[in-house]
Every structure is written in C-alpha cells, then in structure tokens.
Amino acid sequence: MSAGAKADVGQISVSGISSGGFMAHQFHVAHSAHVMGAGIVAGGPYYCAEGSIAAAVTKCSQFVMLECKKLGINDAWCGTADLAPKTAGEIEQAAAGSFDEARRQEARGNISKLENLKNDQVYLFSGAYDSLVPQGVMDALFHFYTDADKAGLAPDNIHYSWTFPAPHTMVRDSFNKPAGSAVGTCAPAGSKSLSKSTFIDDCESIARQQQAQSSCICAVPSESGTATAEPCPPSDKQALCRDLRDVDLAGAILTRIYGAQVLTAGRVPVPGSQVQAFDQKKVFDKIAYHPFNARLNAAMAKEGYIFIPKHCRDGRSCRLHVAFHGCQQGGLTGRKVGRAGNLFSQLAGYNEWAQANDIIVLYPQVEPSSPTPMNPRGCWDWWGQEYTHEGYHTQRGKQIRAVAQMINILTGEPKLLDIPPE
C-alpha cells in the first residue's frame, strides 16, 4: 500500500463528495486531533440522519422526493417527502442538534476533542443546481463549523461556495481531461439522469459564460487611476464571481487546506494509470478478528486506490489527503465508459496537484451490498441503520476504523489515530 512512501503526521486532510462529503466531515470530527482540514462537497452536518435511513433520504437529502417524481407521482404529494431545513430557524436547529451529538460523543471519549476543529481549514461547496443535497443541509454544516457556540472557526479559516452553477457533481475544468464520456458536462439539475451520471463534470465552459454575463472579468485600471462609477465585479455579483474562480474544485480544496503559499508548483498532467490499487482486506488484518468478514460487514471493496507522487516514493515525508468518493463512484466505475479502474480516483482532479506538490492521495473504497449491509448504491455510511449500525459516526465506526488504519500505515505510526477494539 505505502510503496516506500511516508505521510507527514502533521499534514493529514480529508475531502469528499455526497456520501463521501458526509463521511469526510464525520472523519474530520472523529479524528480532529490529527486532521488539519476538510473539503465537503454536497455533504451535510455530523449525525444529520440521526441513525435513520428515513431521515437520510428525506431530511438530509431529497432522494425520496426525486424518486417519487421520477415515477410521475403528483409533485405536491412528492413534496411531502422533502423535510430538509429551509428557513434560518430550521437550519440553526439542525446545526445545533448536530453539534449537541458531537458534544455527547466527545464526553464519552468516542471522538477527538472538539476544540481541535477551531484552527482547521475548511472548504464547503453546494452547487446552485444540486437537486439531491439541498443547500439548507450544507448551510447547517456551515453553522456547525462557524457558530461561536459550536466549532467557532474564524472567517479566514473557511470558504463556502454556494452560488456555482453546478448540479450534484464533482466540479472540474478541462485540464488533463480525457477524451470520451468519462467526464460529463455541467448542466442544470434534472437535465440528465442521476443513475447514468459519473458525477464528475467539466464546468469550465459554463463558468466562463457566467463570468462574462455577470461582469466578473474586470479591466486593468488605467494609468491615470481614474475610479470607475461601478465596482467590478458588481456588488450583487461578488459571491458568484468569487465562486466561479473555483472551477478546479479539487485544486480549490487543497489550496484552502494547505495554502497557496505551499502549493506553489501548481499542477501537472497525470495519466490515470499512475493510480495504484491495493488490497483493502489487509487493512483489517490488525484491527479485526476476522478480516474477511470485517471488510464485508463494513461494505469495503476488495481494492482501494492510492496515488503516490514520484518524489514521495523514496521515503521522504509527504502530505496526505484522503478523498472519499460519492455513491455509485466506488470500485471499477471505469467499466461504465470503457475505461479501466476507478473514475473518481483518476479524474476528480486531485492527482494533478498532488504530483506537483508532493501530496499522497488515498482513495478508500466502499462497494454496493445487500441485503446486509444495506448499501445498494455503494455509499459511505452516514446513517447507520441496516448498514454498519451504532457508532458509525465515531472512532468505533467500521469504516472510520478502516480508514484510520490506512492512515496509520501510511504514516508509519501504528497508534497515531485511535482505533478502538471491535
């Protein structure tokens, strides 16, 4: 798995999209003593589903409502399944309930001290056209991190992008984009089937169009220094123009976490073939009595993936970023479009920055399973019920234990992240 690489124990970060966004946040909270930052794309706050499948698909996402409409059922009736927070009061209530649960788990010793979160760097992204995870859910996550009576991150420590014209997808640009249909094109919600999407889209064209339409591109001031009558960008377009710059979302996340002053080498093209598979069953050898059964019970795939830059293979200490895929993005998704391997690990945009800036990128994988654990779409567990059950959102969670062990292997520190016994 490590192939001679060694991760810097003080430079560990996480990110993820959709179920992987929920998991990235869970993992950040569970192991904040050793995770310095997080990027969450279309995820939600800690313990959002409160251990309930029903809450996961009605309160924290609009899955049931979308499936209802797909069947042609009356929109008004389908709308009764939309229980996501919308008003300021509902959003604050969701954030408060989330942080209250985090406090309970902290008091029981099941997660790291919450005070560790305060100085971390966080990037949040909610696409303006996301029909699956509504903005109110991400707003609650923003309050979890920023409210003074919660994690209390300073404004300079967090960026929330909520105006970018994207659906439920991992946004990227055309840099190092492969030919074919593996990477889609940004389109408004509902214009393409979620079941057929790879959830990785080139949004560069729509971003450039929006920049032009919103007067985001400002002329260089004249030598005379004469002030223009209108600010540029316009006052009512400041947030949109800011968010449109982050069309390379993986780069924006890594830059937020590690700092532009650190990632000075930019990015370079990387062939997908440089992403290597590893046996995830071996990860369970030292943390489970029955490794094979433990992997199956955690719905972990046979293989995970890792990208190790060439300069990190000689034993030098490199940064480590863990990227959690979304539902239907794990395993050999390349087969959907005639490619080998896993699309998220090859095409999400992390490796190009990692190669140039000595960042090891770990892509742990879960796979579809049923009837037990109940995970037909290959999602990370952020609801517990009929899946990995109680403790899923703590250091005792089956999937969190597995990823913690992967990190311990890569750092060469077997006891760095706490892994409670079975």
Side-chain angles (χ1 to χ4, degrees), residues 309-390:
K310 57 184 179 182
H311 292 145
C312 298
R313 293 179 178 272
D314 59 4
R316 76 175 67 180
S317 185
C318 289
R319 301 172 190 88
L320 172 62
H321 186 74
V322 183
F324 294 96
H325 63 76
C327 302
Q328 302 181 68
Q329 286 186 319
L332 300 177
T333 50
R335 291 175 177 172
K336 293 181 181 179
V337 291
R339 293 175 60 91
N342 175 263
L343 295 180
F344 184 77
S345 67
Q346 295 177 13
L347 304 177
Y350 293 98
N351 303 334
E352 290 81 356
W353 285 90
Q355 181 75 287
N357 297 279
D358 295 346
I359 305 171
I360 300 166
V361 187
L362 172 66
Y363 298 96
Q365 302 283 301
V366 291
E367 62 184 1
S369 61
S370 62
T372 56
M374 182 58 71
N375 180 33
R377 291 176 178 258
C379 305
W380 288 95
D381 188 10
W382 54 276
W383 61 86
Q385 184 183 13
E386 304 300 331
Y387 194 174
T388 65
H389 307 290
E390 186 180 356

Side-chain angles (χ1 to χ4, degrees), residues 196-367:
K196 296 180 180 179
S197 175
T198 62
F199 303 101
I200 305 172
D201 285 332
D202 176 1
C203 300
E204 185 172 358
S205 178
I206 194 170
R208 300 294 172 252
Q209 291 173 17
Q210 289 275 330
Q211 284 178 325
Q213 293 169 6
S214 302
S215 301
C216 296
I217 303 171
C218 305
V220 178
S222 64
E223 293 184 4
S224 64
T226 303
T228 57
E230 294 292 333
C232 184
S235 299
D236 62 342
K237 300 292 184 181
Q238 295 280 340
L240 175 61
C241 292
R242 175 202 65 189
D243 293 346
L244 288 170
R245 292 196 295 265
D246 290 348
V247 65
D248 168 22
L249 189 51
I253 290 170
L254 293 174
T255 300
R256 162 57 54 178
I257 293 171
Y258 293 113
Q261 73 280 6
V262 174
L263 307 188
T264 56
R267 53 181 172 164
V268 296
V270 175
S273 59
Q274 291 190 13
V275 176
Q276 302 298 309
F278 66 91
D279 186 349
Q280 289 194 146
K281 183 178 74 67
K282 292 183 178 179
V283 172
F284 289 88
D285 286 347
K286 292 187 177 181
I287 63 171
Y289 295 117
H290 303 287
F292 181 79
N293 290 339
R295 180 183 68 80
L296 295 181
N297 290 335
M300 301 290 288
K302 290 179 63 177
E303 291 183 334
Y305 301 94
I306 190 167
F307 176 74
I308 304 176
K310 57 184 179 182
H311 292 145
C312 298
R313 293 179 178 272
D314 59 4
R316 76 175 67 180
S317 185
C318 289
R319 301 172 190 88
L320 172 62
H321 186 74
V322 183
F324 294 96
H325 63 76
C327 302
Q328 302 181 68
Q329 286 186 319
L332 300 177
T333 50
R335 291 175 177 172
K336 293 181 181 179
V337 291
R339 293 175 60 91
N342 175 263
L343 295 180
F344 184 77
S345 67
Q346 295 177 13
L347 304 177
Y350 293 98
N351 303 334
E352 290 81 356
W353 285 90
Q355 181 75 287
N357 297 279
D358 295 346
I359 305 171
I360 300 166
V361 187
L362 172 66
Y363 298 96
Q365 302 283 301
V366 291
E367 62 184 1

Side-chain angles (χ1 to χ4, degrees), residues 14-28 38-46 123-125 133 138 141 145 168 323-327 329 344 380 382:
V14 297
S15 70
I17 175 175
S18 194
S19 72
F22 281 95
M23 176 54 79
H25 175 54
Q26 277 181 182
F27 197 91
H28 186 204
I40 294 96
V41 179
Y46 189 75
Y123 189 104
L124 307 180
F125 183 93
V133 179
M138 283 293 291
L141 177 58
Y145 276 120
H168 189 79
F324 294 96
H325 63 76
C327 302
Q329 286 186 319
F344 184 77
W380 288 95
W382 54 276

Side-chain angles (χ1 to χ4, degrees), residues 3-307:
K6 184 176 181 181
D8 185 336
V9 298
Q11 297 284 308
I12 301 168
S13 62
V14 297
S15 70
I17 175 175
S18 194
S19 72
F22 281 95
M23 176 54 79
H25 175 54
Q26 277 181 182
F27 197 91
H28 186 204
V29 173
H31 285 290
S32 61
H34 297 289
V35 177
M36 61 173 290
I40 294 96
V41 179
Y46 189 75
Y47 201 56
C48 182
E50 301 179 350
S52 164
I53 295 175
V57 296
T58 58
K59 172 188 166 187
C60 305
S61 74
Q62 295 180 320
F63 178 79
V64 168
M65 185 184 74
L66 293 174
E67 291 297 302
C68 177
K69 289 183 176 181
K70 191 187 299 183
L71 295 173
I73 300 173
N74 180 272
D75 281 359
W77 193 91
C78 292
T80 62
D82 178 10
L83 304 179
K86 297 172 183 62
T87 67
E90 290 170 345
I91 291 166
E92 173 54 35
Q93 184 179 9
S98 172
F99 205 79
D100 284 347
E101 172 65 12
R103 285 196 183 97
R104 283 191 289 271
Q105 296 302 334
E106 177 190 37
R108 295 168 185 168
N110 291 331
I111 62 173
S112 295
K113 296 294 183 182
L114 292 168
E115 63 186 22
N116 295 322
L117 296 169
K118 190 170 186 177
N119 295 317
D120 288 352
Q121 293 289 336
V122 173
Y123 189 104
L124 307 180
F125 183 93
S126 178
Y129 300 148
D130 193 328
S131 60
L132 187 58
V133 179
Q135 187 180 316
V137 176
M138 283 293 291
D139 288 349
L141 177 58
F142 176 76
H143 282 279
F144 178 102
Y145 276 120
T146 60
D147 285 359
D149 61 344
K150 300 179 182 67
L153 267 68
D156 288 345
N157 283 46
I158 188 166
H159 178 87
Y160 183 16
S161 173
W162 50 271
T163 67
F164 195 101
H168 189 79
T169 193
M170 185 67 191
V171 170
R172 56 161 290 162
D173 59 11
S174 60
F175 184 85
N176 200 35
K177 176 183 172 181
S181 61
V183 175
T185 301
C186 256
S191 60
K192 61 181 179 180
S193 170
L194 290 178
S195 64
K196 296 180 180 179
S197 175
T198 62
F199 303 101
I200 305 172
D201 285 332
D202 176 1
C203 300
E204 185 172 358
S205 178
I206 194 170
R208 300 294 172 252
Q209 291 173 17
Q210 289 275 330
Q211 284 178 325
Q213 293 169 6
S214 302
S215 301
C216 296
I217 303 171
C218 305
V220 178
S222 64
E223 293 184 4
S224 64
T226 303
T228 57
E230 294 292 333
C232 184
S235 299
D236 62 342
K237 300 292 184 181
Q238 295 280 340
L240 175 61
C241 292
R242 175 202 65 189
D243 293 346
L244 288 170
R245 292 196 295 265
D246 290 348
V247 65
D248 168 22
L249 189 51
I253 290 170
L254 293 174
T255 300
R256 162 57 54 178
I257 293 171
Y258 293 113
Q261 73 280 6
V262 174
L263 307 188
T264 56
R267 53 181 172 164
V268 296
V270 175
S273 59
Q274 291 190 13
V275 176
Q276 302 298 309
F278 66 91
D279 186 349
Q280 289 194 146
K281 183 178 74 67
K282 292 183 178 179
V283 172
F284 289 88
D285 286 347
K286 292 187 177 181
I287 63 171
Y289 295 117
H290 303 287
F292 181 79
N293 290 339
R295 180 183 68 80
L296 295 181
N297 290 335
M300 301 290 288
K302 290 179 63 177
E303 291 183 334
Y305 301 94
I306 190 167
F307 176 74

